[in-house]
Amino acid sequence: MNEPVTREGAAVRVLVVDDQDLVREGIAALLGIQPGIEVVGSARDGAQAVEVAGRCRPDVVLMDVRMPGMDGVAATALLRRQLPGCRIVMLTTFNDDEYVGRALRAGAVGYLLKNLPAAELAQAVRLAHAGVAQFDQAVVVALAAGTPAPDLLTPRETEVLRLISAGATNREIAARLYLSEGTVKNHISRVLSRLGLRDRTQAALYARDNGLI
């Protein structure tokens, strides 16, 4: 894993949302002892998550998907409108591509499975807070099989992916899109992270397999 990412050493404030008491309390307890993490609240369903988040103003919400009443996807959409600076990561046992696509369209920045070790989950929280999208490898496989790239990427990132696939260099992409090379590098890093890819070659293959070229 990479080194922890936090802003000026401040602890990342986390809200844990899960309808199973044992799971919710276990995640909160495990995260609470990780460096750079402060668990500021918990909730048992989407409606309670929206209410609690309004009070405790978390930096990151770990959100279950399937919950009675308001599910995690609906809660994510509401929270993104009410707290636009809050990062929401879906934490679930389901890697169904339909759920993944819905969650991302609602504004989630990641989709992780609950079998993560505590230290890796804490790092995922730190990275989400820093704006880095996080996806479990099993989720990436499901996405590649059934969810087109535009559901994962912004329109600009999709343009960058297409140009990468065409063999364009960073300088050529920058000239084509009227961007600086530094901005292009940032777009490429986000594309690779969000799609769970290692390099430009994998990005080109992904674009081909998803009909982008």
Side-chain angles (χ1 to χ4, degrees), residues 98-114:
E98 179 182 352
Y99 281 108
V100 181
R102 288 177 57 215
L104 293 173
R105 286 190 290 273
V109 299
Y111 200 106
L112 301 172
L113 302 185
K114 291 179 181 176

Side-chain angles (χ1 to χ4, degrees), residues 68-99:
M70 183 186 294
D71 68 11
V73 174
T76 294
L78 276 176
L79 283 173
R80 289 295 297 150
R81 290 196 293 271
Q82 295 178 15
L83 299 173
C86 180
R87 310 285 187 177
I88 303 170
V89 177
M90 312 309 287
L91 185 64
T92 181
T93 56
F94 304 100
N95 67 345
D96 185 287
D97 61 335
E98 179 182 352
Y99 281 108

Side-chain angles (χ1 to χ4, degrees), residues 19-123:
D19 64 321
Q20 298 183 49
D21 292 346
L22 185 61
V23 173
R24 183 178 67 253
E25 292 167 6
I27 291 171
L30 288 171
L31 280 180
I33 61 174
Q34 297 297 316
I37 303 291
E38 179 187 1
V39 178
V40 295
S42 65
R44 65 175 55 91
D45 57 37
Q48 189 177 49
V50 173
E51 176 189 350
V52 174
R55 295 199 310 267
C56 69
R57 301 282 169 163
D59 299 311
V60 176
V61 177
L62 291 178
M63 181 80 74
D64 193 14
V65 176
R66 289 186 182 178
M67 293 180 290
M70 183 186 294
D71 68 11
V73 174
T76 294
L78 276 176
L79 283 173
R80 289 295 297 150
R81 290 196 293 271
Q82 295 178 15
L83 299 173
C86 180
R87 310 285 187 177
I88 303 170
V89 177
M90 312 309 287
L91 185 64
T92 181
T93 56
F94 304 100
N95 67 345
D96 185 287
D97 61 335
E98 179 182 352
Y99 281 108
V100 181
R102 288 177 57 215
L104 293 173
R105 286 190 290 273
V109 299
Y111 200 106
L112 301 172
L113 302 185
K114 291 179 181 176
N115 57 3
L116 272 181
E120 291 186 22
L121 180 58
Q123 179 67 339

